[in-house]
Amino acid sequence: MNKINIQAGQIIFREGELNNSMYIITSGTVEIFFTHKNSATRLALMKKGDFFGEMALFRAKPRTATARAVMDTEMVAVESKQQLERYLLANPEFAAKMVRILADRLANTNELLISKLNEITTKEIEYQIEEK
């Protein structure tokens, strides 16, 4: 794992990039955002002790968001599953925090998915009623 110092305003990674690193913030603040129709939407504001980019370790897919330092930031880059496993074993409190956060993120994603599926189903039902 490598320590990285990022200056305020510097991009860590961009939407669409292929990069397999995850990051753990040791000081500073990072914003995660995505751009749609030339408009940036902030997804999260990360601070000391937070992590981001973890999906890159598990999926060989392009980044779905951009990460930018809000202030001067120091981070640790985790570049492989093996590095992450060693870090989690050496830092059980962080491991427990990571499990809680990932569970929350999954629950939020499930809620969003169910909400969108309900919207689609409602529109399909409305369409079928209008057809008759």
Side-chain angles (χ1 to χ4, degrees):
M1 297 190 335
N2 297 319
K3 284 192 177 186
I4 301 171
N5 291 304
I6 304 289
Q7 294 179 350
Q10 187 176 344
I11 299 293
I12 300 156
F13 57 75
R14 293 185 190 280
E15 257 174 274
E17 287 182 350
L18 283 172
N19 170 319
N20 69 336
S21 295
M22 140 181 191
Y23 302 91
I24 302 168
I25 301 172
T26 54
S27 70
T29 305
V30 172
E31 69 175 334
I32 309 298
F33 64 94
F34 74 95
T35 306
H36 180 70
K37 296 182 179 178
N38 293 324
S39 178
T41 300
R42 181 183 280 175
L43 300 172
L45 195 61
M46 312 300 247
K47 58 188 183 323
K48 180 180 179 177
D50 290 338
F51 62 92
F52 61 96
E54 68 282 355
M55 291 308 296
L57 286 177
F58 304 106
R59 301 177 55 193
K61 303 242 180 192
R63 298 281 187 176
T64 58
T66 298
R68 175 175 51 211
V70 173
M71 57 190 300
D72 290 350
T73 300
E74 183 178 281
M75 305 179 302
V76 175
V78 181
E79 298 168 342
S80 70
K81 291 178 194 175
Q82 294 78 16
Q83 282 183 350
L84 178 60
E85 289 171 8
R86 284 192 299 271
Y87 185 82
L88 294 176
L89 287 171
N91 298 280
E93 287 178 14
F94 180 83
K97 177 182 179 176
M98 188 173 185
V99 168
R100 284 191 307 273
I101 289 170
L102 290 174
D104 285 345
R105 290 179 187 173
L106 180 58
N108 290 338
T109 301
N110 284 344
E111 287 175 15
L112 180 61
L113 178 60
I114 289 167
S115 171
K116 292 298 178 187
L117 287 173
N118 285 337
E119 283 178 30
I120 291 168
T121 303
T122 301
K123 287 179 183 175
E124 286 176 358
I125 291 170
E126 288 172 1
Y127 179 73
Q128 289 172 358
I129 291 171
E130 289 174 8
E131 274 189 337
K132 292 183 178 182

